[in-house]
Amino acid sequence: MKTYSRFFYLLLFLVATLPLKAQTWKNPNAKVEDRVQDLLSKMTLEEKISYCGSKIPEMERLGIPAFEWYGEALHGIIAWNCTQFPQNIAMGSTWNPDLMYDVATAISNEARALKNAGKKEVMMFSPTVNMARDPRWGRNGECYSEDPYLMSEMARMYVRGMQGNDPNYVKTVTTVKHYVANNVDKYREKIHSNINRKELYEYYFPAYKTCIVDEEATGIMTALNGLNGIPCSAHNWLVNGVLREEWGFEGYVIADWTAVEGIETRMHYAKSQAEAAAMAIKAGVDQECYRNKTKLAPMVYALDDAIKEGLMTEADLDVSVGRLLRLRFMTGDFDDPALNPYSKIPSSVLECEDHKKIALRAAEEAIVLLKNDNALPLQKSSDKLAVIGPFANRCWMGIYSGHPKSKVSPLDGIQKYLGSEVAYAEGCSVTGDKSDKEKIKEAVAVAKTSDKVILIVGNDEETSTENVDRKSLKLPGKQHELIQAVKEVNDNVILVLVPSGPTAIEWEQENLSGIVCAWPNGQEQGTALANVLFGDVNPSGKLNSTWYKSDKDLPDFHDYSIQSGRTYMYYKGEPLYPFGYGLSYTDFEIKNMKLNHKKLSVDGRLTVSIDVENTGGQEGKEVVQVYIRDLKSTQKTAQKALKGFKKVTLEKGQSTNVDIIVPYEAFSYYDTTQNEYMVEAGKFEIMVGNASDNIVQKKTVFVEGGVIKPRKVGQKSAYYVSSDPNRFKKWDDLYEDTSFLYAKGSKNKKASGIVFKTVFNDPGFYVNTWDAEVNYELVSEVANIELQMLSNPIGTYKLKKSKGVNSSFSIKIPIPPEYGKEVTLNAIPHQGNVKIKSIKIIPPKGNKPYLIYPAKVVK
């Protein structure tokens, strides 16, 4: 009887556990790799293939809903009502990786909040770590720096903040892009970057390696261009060789927009789509970026033929799909939300006050004071102030921006700071049009009657964006002419730049008394600018790239060799503003430099100790910068190379000691014969200053020769700081008071005015805005009308009868909050009598325009 009972209970146990063992992929306690293999074994070939594009269809029989592997979070989630932080080029100018961590934490909290609400997924195509080697690149604004060390340290903390520190789950998936050397945008999908191996390893690879090896970034996006004759998305050495074998990368690789298709159609490297898809998979690429309402990625359609034709096997495909599934397990997609700490992040974090405060702090620290002949800070006095320029009454946040409810333009910020209106004139358009002559006249008239002028100029997506490279470092259009015309009638001009990168303003540097670089600086840019201009905040930003005097100072755009005279490391001319440069309203003294070693042994660490004193009259922040130079080398080496920095805050009269650690690895070069990093024995000069051209302390150290041990995932580099507090923080440590996270929010008020309804269909590619024309009938002499989408402001427009009773004006509609669903636009009259007859929607890239008409009027 006892034997029968034992057998019965054993059978009962086996029956009870059979479903769990049969559904290993649903078991959160099982190993991730076991879960991946179990789910993979249950998928059909068609289902596996469907995973290789951004739009992943539903797998109904397995209970897995449709999924979109597509998200943008460059400096804020591209969505509505999400906080927009300073553009990457601005964040790089903060020289503050801790601040970068806070920004990334806020961005990823908002991403998770949207996922938890069922609105977005957390597969993010960022950060961009392409080196800013040439400021003419259309996407230069997406870069943190021209310097590989500064780039690495900023990108490191972006990845850390985005992925979070939970041991079991990642908060968001980061996709480091564009691998590699995509620094020309025009014809990028057809051209090759030709770079020798030494410069790849010393300049173009380091930031990727930092993100992968040290921070264990989850994804990589291969670039649209080719490298040395092979398309990046079919480059076996680049992906399998370097990324997966050398660096030990276990994450997923996605090809940039239809780049796999382009292996055949644009690069002519493959003979068919099937061959192109097989090349990508066999090179280590798992997925192709493509989003369309009805079509899947070209790679998806080609993979079945690739297998049937024997160009690859289903086992090859399994490797790629397994990597993609692994990421979904890591995000917790198939687990009980109660197990995942990030499932608790509520929608109340979206554009919350804490995030806006971080955006403001980042914007303030990003602003760089370029020139100050006692012109700044301005006094809050009775002086008549004018704010002029095409970027004055506009909150330009840069490309790949979302659409927050709150956006503070420079004009808004200054008027709010002063508590009164100031004189304003647009001055001219950004790129130049027939009305500029009249606009410049208006600006001159305003400047004549003002005591001081804040002149705000720059460049935007019309001259620098994806697929559009800058033609010149000069300000586009008639902006230089505007500056000169205003200066001719008013000597008290403060120039504020909102550029996508280094800008040639040699005349302005010689003739104006105050110049500020404010960047596309996020949604709080106007408040930050006012705080800096009027001295409430002491500017502390430092340039993250060399600013040249002229286009003539740059090598050929397609020359990828850094040693040909690019960046502060190899440029031998006199720059307009050097790398690391930035002024302050106070003065600092850097002194008493000490080294802990006279001779640095293999794998040793050099501590550079320095005293910093604030000798000026107010609190300020200074960035202590450490550069090294090889005094005698058999290699061609940089004139100087940044290897350490630290930002410190000091009250007036206060001093502090700063220790900056420079690891042995910092003295290495890449040996192309041995294919490894080596240190050549000899003397190195250690230089400390507050800019690359302002070195105030120097000492030499003898460094022993040796080899740098290879590092891959699981083996951190010498730059990795395991004790960094940012490695232990939880998602809600960002907030001093967490009570708002769980408070019930109030319902949005219904917008009034003239209501229009429409559906925006996905054009299948990224655009920042849609064009539209508003057709109106003006009854009164003048009228002011505000346009909103889903209660979010698009802009306010002043209409004059002198331009015609029946007329129209052009607008830019921000990316719709969601494609394929009906959205509401509101036209709200604030002054005068105007009838909005229709709005002409102009889809991007030549798609047919259409008219929408008023649905109703809401009082």
Side-chain angles (χ1 to χ4, degrees):
M1 187 69 182
K2 288 181 180 180
T3 302
Y4 174 78
S5 296
R6 284 197 299 270
F7 176 76
F8 174 78
Y9 284 116
L10 177 62
L11 183 63
L12 188 63
F13 172 77
L14 290 172
V15 171
T17 58
L18 188 60
L20 187 62
K21 287 185 176 181
Q23 297 290 321
T24 302
W25 71 278
K26 291 185 177 181
N27 180 4
N29 297 316
K31 292 180 180 178
V32 171
E33 293 308 319
D34 292 341
R35 300 179 73 182
V36 168
Q37 292 305 314
D38 183 54
L39 179 54
L40 196 60
S41 70
K42 291 173 169 54
M43 293 170 66
T44 65
L45 176 60
E46 182 182 4
E47 288 167 343
K48 293 174 186 176
I49 289 173
S50 74
Y51 253 78
C52 295
S54 299
K55 287 269 192 182
I56 300 170
E58 177 186 16
M59 287 189 277
E60 187 177 357
R61 63 186 187 82
L62 293 174
I64 299 175
F67 185 84
E68 184 169 277
W69 198 300
Y70 194 108
E72 302 284 1
L74 187 70
H75 57 112
I77 304 299
I78 291 193
W80 285 61
N81 307 335
C82 289
T83 315
Q84 298 302 300
F85 299 89
Q87 180 62 282
N88 283 18
I89 195 169
M91 285 306 304
S93 294
T94 68
W95 289 59
N96 191 340
D98 290 334
L99 181 55
M100 182 77 260
Y101 173 84
D102 288 347
V103 165
T105 299
I107 293 171
S108 56
N109 283 356
E110 294 193 4
R112 266 290 167 171
L114 290 170
K115 180 177 175 65
N116 294 339
K119 295 180 179 179
K120 291 273 185 182
E121 292 299 339
V122 290
M123 275 58 184
M124 298 300 166
F125 298 156
S126 50
T128 299
V129 301
N130 295 91
M131 301 305 300
R133 56 145 203 140
D134 193 306
R136 293 169 294 192
W137 182 36
R139 303 180 74 172
N140 189 78
E142 297 183 37
C143 302
Y144 296 118
S145 180
E146 73 178 16
D147 177 79
Y149 178 72
L150 178 56
M151 171 73 86
S152 295
E153 293 307 296
M154 297 302 290
R156 173 198 299 283
M157 282 302 152
Y158 177 91
V159 172
R160 183 61 19 233
M162 288 294 288
Q163 293 189 180
N165 295 316
D166 187 80
N168 300 314
Y169 297 101
V170 294
K171 194 183 348 172
T172 67
V173 170
T174 58
T175 309
V176 187
K177 62 184 187 182
H178 308 83
Y179 186 68
V180 63
N182 174 189
N183 287 115
V184 175
D185 243 55
K186 188 175 182 180
Y187 303 130
R188 58 187 174 162
E189 69 280 357
K190 297 179 180 180
I191 59 177
H192 289 270
S193 305
N194 297 302
I195 310 170
N196 63 50
R197 188 168 291 202
K198 179 177 175 65
E199 293 197 75
L200 280 171
Y201 276 89
E202 292 182 357
Y203 187 75
Y204 292 99
F205 280 168
Y208 293 97
K209 187 177 181 181
T210 294
C211 292
I212 297 303
V213 173
D214 281 357
E215 304 307 326
E216 300 185 24
T218 43
I220 284 280
M221 178 182 283
T222 50
L224 282 164
N225 57 281
L227 176 68
N228 299 334
I230 303 173
C232 288
S233 298
H235 211 303
N236 186 62
W237 174 80
L238 187 65
V239 182
N240 278 334
V242 177
L243 188 61
R244 297 200 185 280
E245 293 174 20
E246 285 187 35
W247 299 347
F249 179 61
E250 298 177 348
Y252 91 106
V253 175
I254 184 169
D256 202 351
W257 193 268
T258 67
V260 174
E261 176 188 55
I263 295 170
E264 179 214 359
T265 60
R266 296 184 290 272
M267 289 288 186
H268 308 296
Y269 192 75
K271 295 176 183 177
S272 66
Q273 283 297 291
E275 186 179 22
M279 282 180 173
I281 292 289
K282 292 176 123 180
V285 176
D286 308 310
Q287 197 177 54
E288 183 178 40
C289 175
Y290 182 74
R291 188 180 65 178
N292 185 278
K293 186 179 179 182
T294 58
K295 297 178 182 178
L296 300 175
M299 182 180 184
V300 172
Y301 296 114
L303 279 169
D304 189 48
D305 286 341
I307 292 171
K308 286 177 180 176
E309 293 173 21
L311 299 171
M312 57 176 281
T313 65
E314 187 172 352
D316 294 328
L317 180 65
D318 285 351
V319 174
S320 281
V321 178
R323 286 192 284 248
L324 296 165
L325 291 175
R326 179 174 172 266
L327 265 296
R328 295 200 65 182
F329 284 112
M330 290 174 69
T331 58
D333 279 357
F334 304 128
D335 293 351
D336 182 346
L339 300 173
N340 189 337
Y342 305 126
S343 67
K344 301 177 180 66
I345 301 178
S347 295
S348 55
V349 302
L350 298 174
E351 207 179 340
C352 65
E353 288 304 312
D354 292 68
H355 290 183
K356 287 194 281 188
K357 287 177 182 176
I358 295 170
L360 175 59
R361 180 159 57 96
E364 289 170 345
E365 288 202 30
I367 291 173
V368 183
L369 180 58
L370 297 174
K371 183 179 181 181
N372 188 19
D373 286 349
N374 298 315
L376 293 168
L378 298 171
Q379 300 301 310
K380 190 177 181 180
S381 64
S382 58
D383 285 345
K384 292 175 67 176
L385 188 67
V387 180
I388 295 171
F391 288 86
N393 194 24
R394 177 187 184 195
C395 186
W396 168 240
M397 297 181 293
I399 60 176
Y400 278 90
S401 295
H403 306 286
K405 283 185 177 179
S406 170
K407 291 191 292 186
V408 186
S409 71
L411 180 61
D412 292 336
I414 291 166
Q415 290 187 149
K416 185 177 180 181
Y417 183 90
L418 294 174
S420 62
E421 290 193 6
V422 299
Y424 161 72
E426 183 185 359
C428 65
S429 63
V430 177
T431 56
D433 62 37
K434 60 185 179 181
S435 65
D436 280 350
K437 189 174 181 180
E438 192 62 35
K439 288 178 181 177
I440 291 174
K441 282 183 181 178
E442 291 175 7
V444 168
V446 170
K448 275 183 180 179
T449 59
S450 303
D451 297 315
K452 293 178 180 176
V453 175
I454 299 172
L455 189 49
I456 307 172
V457 297
N459 69 295
D460 60 12
E461 80 276 21
E462 292 182 83
T463 60
S464 181
T465 186
E466 192 163 359
N467 287 310
V468 179
D469 295 310
R470 288 169 77 183
K471 294 178 180 177
S472 172
L473 298 184
K474 293 180 179 180
L475 289 166
K478 292 183 171 59
Q479 293 182 89
H480 284 289
E481 185 178 321
L482 169 67
I483 296 166
Q484 291 172 352
V486 169
K487 174 63 170 66
E488 197 171 309
V489 299
N490 193 318
D491 281 334
N492 300 312
V493 176
I494 304 298
L495 182 66
V496 177
L497 296 162
V498 182
S500 66
T503 304
I505 51 166
E506 190 173 12
W507 185 92
E508 289 79 2
Q509 169 63 21
E510 291 176 359
N511 291 278
L512 302 182
S513 57
I515 304 176
V516 169
C517 180
W519 308 114
N521 217 8
Q523 70 184 76
E524 298 295 324
Q525 60 184 260
T527 304
L529 179 62
N531 289 343
V532 168
L533 291 177
F534 289 95
D536 286 14
V537 170
N538 194 343
S540 64
K542 301 284 186 178
L543 293 180
N544 52 16
S545 293
T546 304
W547 282 44
Y548 304 93
K549 293 179 180 179
S550 165
D551 299 330
K552 295 176 183 178
D553 295 334
L554 290 167
D556 182 89
F557 193 21
H558 294 268
D559 178 2
Y560 274 82
S561 173
I562 299 303
Q563 295 184 357
S564 64
R566 291 193 180 279
T567 79
Y568 76 97
M569 293 185 286
Y570 293 99
Y571 178 62
K572 294 187 176 179
E574 183 182 346
L576 180 65
Y577 306 115
F579 174 82
Y581 170 83
L583 303 175
S584 171
Y585 294 153
T586 192
D587 297 306
F588 297 93
E589 186 178 359
I590 298 173
K591 56 189 177 181
N592 301 330
M593 175 183 177
K594 297 176 183 175
L595 304 179
N596 68 330
H597 295 294
K598 291 183 179 179
K599 182 179 180 180
L600 185 65
S601 58
V602 175
D603 293 334
R605 301 172 78 81
L606 182 72
T607 300
V608 181
S609 181
I610 199 85
D611 291 336
V612 187
E613 182 181 1
N614 183 345
T615 58
Q618 67 181 89
E619 179 194 277
K621 295 180 173 71
E622 181 61 294
V623 179
V624 182
Q625 304 166 34
V626 176
Y627 298 85
I628 69 170
R629 180 168 70 95
D630 195 336
L631 292 175
K632 188 178 181 180
S633 175
T634 59
Q635 305 285 314
K636 185 174 182 179
T637 59
Q639 300 169 121
K640 57 174 71 78
L642 181 73
K643 296 299 178 181
F645 63 88
K646 187 171 287 188
K647 194 167 194 174
V648 294
T649 303
L650 296 172
E651 298 285 346
K652 63 177 181 178
Q654 184 184 8
S655 63
T656 189
N657 178 259
V658 174
D659 284 344
I660 296 176
I661 296 173
V662 181
Y664 180 76
E665 189 174 318
F667 299 90
S668 66
Y669 69 93
Y670 189 79
D671 186 288
T672 54
T673 302
Q674 300 296 323
N675 289 326
E676 56 190 356
Y677 290 97
M678 303 182 72
V679 175
E680 187 174 17
K683 287 184 178 181
F684 287 79
E685 190 170 52
I686 311 298
M687 301 173 281
V688 179
N690 64 356
S692 62
D693 75 329
N694 190 37
I695 303 301
V696 295
Q697 298 273 286
K698 297 179 183 179
K699 284 187 180 295
T700 59
V701 62
F702 183 88
V703 182
E704 289 184 353
V707 175
I708 306 300
K709 296 174 184 175
R711 295 285 192 275
K712 56 173 58 181
V713 173
Q715 305 166 332
K716 306 300 184 185
S717 78
Y719 295 104
Y720 182 86
V721 181
S722 60
S723 60
D724 190 324
N726 293 330
R727 304 193 179 285
F728 306 98
K729 293 176 181 176
K730 298 179 180 178
W731 71 267
D732 56 357
D733 286 343
L734 194 65
Y735 314 104
E736 290 184 14
D737 180 2
T738 59
S739 60
F740 84 96
L741 295 171
Y742 308 106
K744 291 184 178 179
S746 58
K747 293 183 179 179
N748 291 330
K749 294 180 181 179
K750 289 184 178 179
S752 59
I754 306 164
V755 177
F756 296 80
K757 293 185 177 181
T758 188
V759 174
F760 292 89
N761 289 318
D762 190 347
F765 48 86
Y766 168 77
V767 289
N768 201 51
T769 55
W770 284 43
D771 291 318
E773 291 177 3
V774 180
N775 302 303
Y776 66 88
E777 179 183 341
L778 187 57
V779 179
S780 57
E781 287 298 320
V782 295
N784 277 353
I785 190 159
E786 180 185 0
L787 293 177
Q788 298 180 349
M789 182 185 286
L790 296 182
S791 301
N792 290 268
I794 294 174
T796 301
Y797 308 88
K798 188 170 184 177
L799 311 178
K800 297 179 181 179
K801 216 169 194 179
S802 59
K803 295 185 178 180
V805 173
N806 292 288
S807 191
S808 65
F809 60 92
S810 298
I811 64 170
K812 295 280 188 182
I813 295 180
I815 297 170
E818 192 168 0
Y819 285 124
K821 292 189 177 181
E822 187 176 75
V823 295
T824 301
L825 289 88
N826 297 78
I828 307 168
H830 288 304
Q831 176 192 352
N833 190 347
V834 61
K835 296 177 182 177
I836 306 298
K837 297 190 292 185
S838 64
I839 300 177
K840 184 180 181 181
I841 306 295
I842 307 170
K845 284 207 175 176
N847 290 308
K848 189 176 180 181
Y850 60 92
L851 292 172
I852 58 175
Y853 298 93
K856 60 181 177 178
V857 176
V858 180
K859 295 182 179 178

